[in-house]
């Protein structure tokens, strides 16, 4: 049953789950795309050999492999565990709040925190364990980073729910880096960070304060299938929804204070840490989180994690704009392949990529796209001559790897 959403940072969901050998959840995430997947550019970043070496393990490549050098270079950075990094500050503030507000019977924190789990998961963990159907668009190769058909970089921290629940945990927090192929602008990056919380209730934990609670049940008289658990009773769903709303309200107040915070943020077992930090600290560009510029990092070395701080912008260096136009191939063009190509070649010099024009030839019915690439260095001024080399490499790679016909 869905809980009202407090803002656009995340969505809130309430689950009633039996503490047994099965866990069922239906996560509310975006439909990541339904376009046909391609085997084009993305795999070239790692296809120097037949295996990918990652975090001390080897993964054989196949027709599903689509990791790029750009993304591989981010694995293991763990910004959320980097002392005094703004993402670390957010994580520590949430942990502190949960530890203080939610205490178990023994006086120890109710929620356990897991912030060092490997981002490499199986497709079963990322999808099947959450009952995401085999034909669901969220599995598309065009929107995920696959090591091969059976292993991938997690697209959400929910990939660890099944394992932690089956380890016997019924109140836990997972924090980690997640990976999705996406557009390029100040709000999107192929790597971002989530913080997710799960809490389970038994019948005896949920109903003790309710009049005639002993007669209430968690589930209606219905049957469990491989795809769906029993139907929750209205009483159970309402109580869990109320508990989640109360938890969110307290957390939002702790992070933002009382003034209108409910209109800006919500919690769906997964908070986007970058989104929260951008709001709390007025950070304008998601690329800044990966900066090693001392002018950025020193602003977050705080004696108290709850100390208020407003990011002081670095000098705004001028942008360099270049357009690229090409005819699309007759089939299997994936826009996210182009974005990944630009990211891999241009790196963090690329601020954003906009599709500024689409044209269909009236006779041949071929389609042409024109993209405007905004190049801007975060720490110095770029010259058009410097950018021209990068842009030319993008043009050549688009023709060679995506099968497009250039209109350069």
């Amino acid at each position: 049953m869905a809980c009202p959403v407090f803002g656009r940072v995340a969505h809130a969901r309430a689950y009633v789950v039996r503490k047994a050998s099965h866990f069922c959840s239906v996560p509310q995430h975006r439909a990541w795309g339904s376009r046909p997947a391609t085997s084009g550019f993305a795999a070239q970043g790692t296809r120097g050999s037949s295996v990918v070496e990652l975090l001390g393990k080897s993964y054989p490549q196949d027709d599903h492999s689509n990791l790029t050098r750009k993304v591989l270079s981010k694995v293991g950075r763990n910004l959320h565990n980097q002392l005094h990094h703004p993402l670390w500050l957010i994580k520590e503030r949430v942990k502190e709040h949960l530890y203080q507000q939610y205490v178990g019977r023994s006086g120890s924190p109710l929620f356990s925190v897991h912030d060092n789990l490997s981002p490499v998961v199986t497709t079963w963990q990322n999808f099947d364990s959450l009952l995401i159907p085999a034909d669901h668009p969220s599995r598309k190769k065009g929107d995920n980073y696959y090591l091969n058909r059976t292993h991938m970089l997690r697209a959400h921290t929910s990939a660890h729910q099944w394992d932690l629940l089956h380890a016997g945990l019924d109140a836990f927090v997972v924090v980690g880096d997640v990976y999705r192929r996406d557009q390029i602008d100040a709000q999107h990056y192929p790597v971002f960070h989530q913080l997710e919380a799960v809490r389970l209730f038994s019948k005896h934990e949920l109903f003790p304060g309710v009049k005639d609670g002993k007669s209430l049940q968690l589930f209606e008289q219905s049957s469990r299938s491989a795809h769906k658990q029993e139907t929750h009773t209205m009483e159970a769903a309402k109580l869990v929804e109320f508990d989640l709303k109360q938890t969110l309200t307290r957390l939002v107040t702790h992070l933002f204070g009382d003034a209108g915070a409910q209109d800006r943020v919500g919690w769906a077992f997964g908070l986007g840490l970058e989104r929260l930090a951008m709001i709390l600290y007025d950070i304008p560009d998601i690329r800044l989180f990966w900066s090693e510029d001392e002018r950025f990092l020193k602003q977050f070395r705080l004696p108290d994690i709850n100390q208020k701080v407003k990011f002081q912008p670095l000098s705004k260096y001028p942008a360099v704009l270049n357009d690229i136009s090409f005819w699309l191939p007759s089939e299997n063009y994936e826009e996210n392949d182009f974005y990944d190509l630009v990211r891999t070649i241009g790196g963090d010099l690329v601020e954003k990529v906009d599709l500024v024009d689409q044209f269909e030839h009236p006779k041949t019915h071929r389609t042409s796209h024109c993209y405007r690439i905004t190049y801007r260095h975060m720490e110095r001024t770029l010259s058009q001559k410097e950018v021209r080399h990068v842009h030319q490499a993008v043009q050549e790679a688009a023709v060679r790897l995506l099968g497009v016909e250039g209109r350069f």
Side-chain angles (χ1 to χ4, degrees), residues 231-288:
T231 302
H232 310 138
T233 63
M234 183 60 69
E235 295 85 1
K238 284 294 183 183
L239 284 171
V240 172
E241 178 182 353
F242 175 76
D243 184 86
L244 179 56
K245 288 174 65 175
Q246 192 176 53
T247 301
L248 290 173
T249 300
R250 289 174 179 172
L251 178 60
V252 166
T253 301
H254 173 69
L255 292 176
F256 291 95
D258 294 320
Q262 288 84 348
D263 295 328
R264 291 187 286 149
V265 65
W267 180 16
F269 292 137
L271 292 166
L273 294 188
E274 280 86 350
R275 293 287 186 266
L276 285 175
M278 292 173 87
I279 295 170
L280 279 168
Y281 305 135
D282 287 339
I283 298 174
D285 194 308
I286 198 169
R287 291 177 298 164
L288 281 164

Side-chain angles (χ1 to χ4, degrees), residues 118-136:
S118 174
V120 178
V121 297
T122 64
T123 52
W124 188 92
Q125 288 174 299
N126 200 79
F127 300 119
D128 299 272
S129 72
L130 298 169
L131 303 186
I132 297 175
D135 59 350
H136 196 277

Side-chain angles (χ1 to χ4, degrees), residues 81-127:
N81 289 334
Q82 181 179 320
L83 193 66
H84 297 301
H85 191 280
L87 300 183
W88 175 86
L89 288 174
I90 298 291
K91 181 194 73 171
E92 291 301 309
R93 292 182 65 183
V94 175
K95 282 173 56 180
E96 178 188 69
H97 171 76
L98 293 177
Y99 284 172
Q100 292 177 352
Q101 293 293 320
Y102 302 94
V103 180
R105 293 178 182 176
S106 64
S108 59
L110 179 68
F111 288 90
S112 60
V113 176
H114 308 266
D115 59 6
N116 201 29
L117 300 174
S118 174
V120 178
V121 297
T122 64
T123 52
W124 188 92
Q125 288 174 299
N126 200 79
F127 300 119

Side-chain angles (χ1 to χ4, degrees), residues 360-376:
E360 181 175 325
H361 195 284
K363 293 183 178 180
T364 64
H365 299 292
R366 297 181 69 192
T367 299
S368 171
H369 280 187
C370 177
Y371 295 91
R372 179 157 297 151
I373 303 178
T374 302
Y375 298 91
R376 191 196 308 268

Side-chain angles (χ1 to χ4, degrees), residues 146-339:
Y146 285 93
L147 281 79
N148 50 42
R149 284 189 172 272
T150 59
H151 289 81
M152 63 186 296
L153 295 178
R154 62 188 169 207
H156 44 209
T157 49
S158 301
H160 302 288
Q161 280 186 11
W162 193 95
D163 294 309
L164 294 174
L165 287 165
H166 282 255
L169 302 179
D170 46 18
F172 57 85
V173 172
V174 182
V175 191
D177 43 339
V178 298
Y179 299 78
R180 298 181 192 171
R181 304 179 81 203
D182 213 334
Q183 63 198 80
I184 302 177
D185 58 33
Q187 303 292 321
H188 294 87
Y189 205 77
V191 191
F192 57 102
H193 297 75
Q194 285 185 341
L195 182 149
E196 161 169 333
V198 172
R199 184 180 180 185
L200 306 185
F201 297 88
S202 68
K203 173 182 174 180
H204 302 294
E205 292 169 325
L206 192 60
F207 298 130
V210 180
K211 184 179 179 181
D212 300 324
K214 291 184 179 180
S215 64
L216 299 178
Q217 302 294 324
L218 293 181
F219 294 91
E220 295 179 358
Q221 294 299 317
S222 56
S223 60
R224 176 188 294 268
S225 72
H227 304 288
K228 185 179 182 297
Q229 66 184 31
E230 300 94 322
T231 302
H232 310 138
T233 63
M234 183 60 69
E235 295 85 1
K238 284 294 183 183
L239 284 171
V240 172
E241 178 182 353
F242 175 76
D243 184 86
L244 179 56
K245 288 174 65 175
Q246 192 176 53
T247 301
L248 290 173
T249 300
R250 289 174 179 172
L251 178 60
V252 166
T253 301
H254 173 69
L255 292 176
F256 291 95
D258 294 320
Q262 288 84 348
D263 295 328
R264 291 187 286 149
V265 65
W267 180 16
F269 292 137
L271 292 166
L273 294 188
E274 280 86 350
R275 293 287 186 266
L276 285 175
M278 292 173 87
I279 295 170
L280 279 168
Y281 305 135
D282 287 339
I283 298 174
D285 194 308
I286 198 169
R287 291 177 298 164
L288 281 164
F289 291 105
W290 297 91
S291 174
E292 297 181 355
D293 190 325
E294 185 64 16
R295 293 174 300 165
F296 173 75
L297 296 173
K298 71 179 181 181
Q299 298 186 40
F300 302 97
R301 295 196 183 106
L302 309 176
D304 180 357
I305 60 173
N306 292 306
Q307 179 179 326
K308 290 186 177 180
V309 58
K310 181 177 180 180
F311 171 65
Q312 299 301 313
L314 310 180
S315 300
K316 189 72 171 180
Y317 294 98
V320 179
L321 307 181
N322 283 268
D323 290 353
I324 177 172
S325 299
F326 46 75
W327 296 105
L328 304 188
S330 58
E331 59 182 12
N332 290 339
Y333 175 73
E334 171 62 63
E335 198 162 42
N336 278 345
D337 280 349
F338 177 67
Y339 293 147

